[in-house]
Amino acid sequence: MASISSSPRTVEEIFKDYTARRAGLVRALTFDVDNFYSQCDPEKENLCLYGHSNELWEVTLPAEEVPPELPEPALGINFARDGMQRKDWLSLVAVHSDCWLLSVSFYFGARLNRNERSRKRLFSMINDLPSLFEVVTGRKPVKDKPSVDSGSKARNNAKVKSFFLSSSQLVFASQRSLDGQAKNNSKLMDENYGDEEDEHGETICGTCGGTYNSDEFWIGCDICERWYHGKCVKITPAKAESIKHYKCPSCCTKKGRQQ
């Protein structure tokens, strides 16, 4: 855990810490759920689920010091695992994890200036993201966009505009200049782009859990077919154009473990 001396102090720093811890917990409760479930053995001691500021998650024993350096997650989540249906248990863990994330953020935010409405702004920023409970229960599902067999599935409304022409073809057209072939297909592209916007409005980034926004650059994994903000996986539009088959960090990690 981060030490108090290096803890985030501004609204932006606290929110960045919140999104990083949240990303780790989203991964634990969705993409890495089988691994997470197996680690929560009811035969073990009281275990807690931690989301760390480096976007990693960990199931471990609670801190020994009293009082702890930071608020602690729900204790003993492993004890109820086999006494409930799996989806209900995961939902319960998600609710407690949401509470923990808020408690950590407002522990850091205790020093914020009330008169400047800093705490209100922090809560507003946090509230714009779907909760872990919403993600786990499907109210804000981590769902895939339709698969596209060829090319890197990327879009950036500022520089590159993408259009689905079929289930196996994705055409990129520059907003500043279009070649002759793209011009001939412009009408078809515009129609399909509008449909694609409607279909993917509820898509959620596999790293930060943020909802789809056509003004941001996104890229899809050709292995698991989940979608990510380019900034979350450190992929730029220019870099995406040179990638034939994109593999997300989660799939890269799974392959490394199998080897």
Side-chain angles (χ1 to χ4, degrees), residues 28-30 32-38 81-93 136:
L29 296 172
T30 56
D32 297 343
V33 66
D34 291 335
N35 184 17
F36 166 64
Y37 189 86
S38 65
R81 191 195 72 176
D82 293 347
M84 305 173 64
Q85 291 189 8
R86 174 164 163 157
K87 64 178 182 178
D88 293 334
W89 177 75
L90 290 172
S91 297
L92 182 62
V93 173
V136 170

Side-chain angles (χ1 to χ4, degrees), residues 1-2 16-29 36 48-60 70-74 77 93 96-98 100-105 108 132:
M1 293 185 182
K16 182 178 180 181
D17 179 87
Y18 172 88
T19 55
R21 294 178 189 275
R22 179 181 174 280
L25 295 178
V26 167
R27 188 173 299 277
L29 296 172
F36 166 64
C48 298
L49 171 61
Y50 292 89
H52 296 305
S53 55
N54 57 0
E55 301 188 5
L56 298 179
W57 62 272
E58 180 183 20
V59 172
T60 188
L70 290 177
E72 286 290 301
I77 58 171
V93 173
H96 284 291
S97 296
D98 279 322
W100 176 69
L101 284 173
L102 285 172
S103 68
V104 171
S105 291
F108 290 138
L132 294 173

Side-chain angles (χ1 to χ4, degrees), residues 86-147:
R86 174 164 163 157
K87 64 178 182 178
D88 293 334
W89 177 75
L90 290 172
S91 297
L92 182 62
V93 173
V95 168
H96 284 291
S97 296
D98 279 322
C99 295
W100 176 69
L101 284 173
L102 285 172
S103 68
V104 171
S105 291
F106 280 86
Y107 175 84
F108 290 138
R111 299 180 178 86
L112 294 176
N113 191 323
R114 175 178 174 274
N115 293 331
E116 295 177 357
R117 298 187 177 182
S118 298
R119 289 197 293 273
K120 183 177 181 180
R121 184 159 65 94
L122 174 61
F123 179 78
S124 179
M125 294 168 69
I126 290 174
N127 200 45
D128 283 341
L129 294 175
S131 66
L132 294 173
F133 177 75
E134 288 176 320
V135 171
V136 170
T137 59
R139 297 188 182 186
K140 290 288 186 180
V142 181
K143 70 179 182 180
D144 304 334
K145 287 183 170 64
S147 61

Side-chain angles (χ1 to χ4, degrees), residues 217-253:
F217 171 71
W218 287 66
I219 187 166
C221 176
D222 286 301
I223 304 301
C224 66
E225 296 188 349
R226 294 187 177 95
W227 287 75
Y228 302 84
H229 286 110
K231 62 184 180 182
C232 290
V233 290
K234 299 180 180 179
I235 298 293
T236 64
K239 186 175 180 180
E241 290 182 5
S242 65
I243 299 175
K244 292 184 178 180
H245 298 286
Y246 174 68
K247 186 182 296 183
C248 70
S250 179
C251 289
C252 290
T253 301

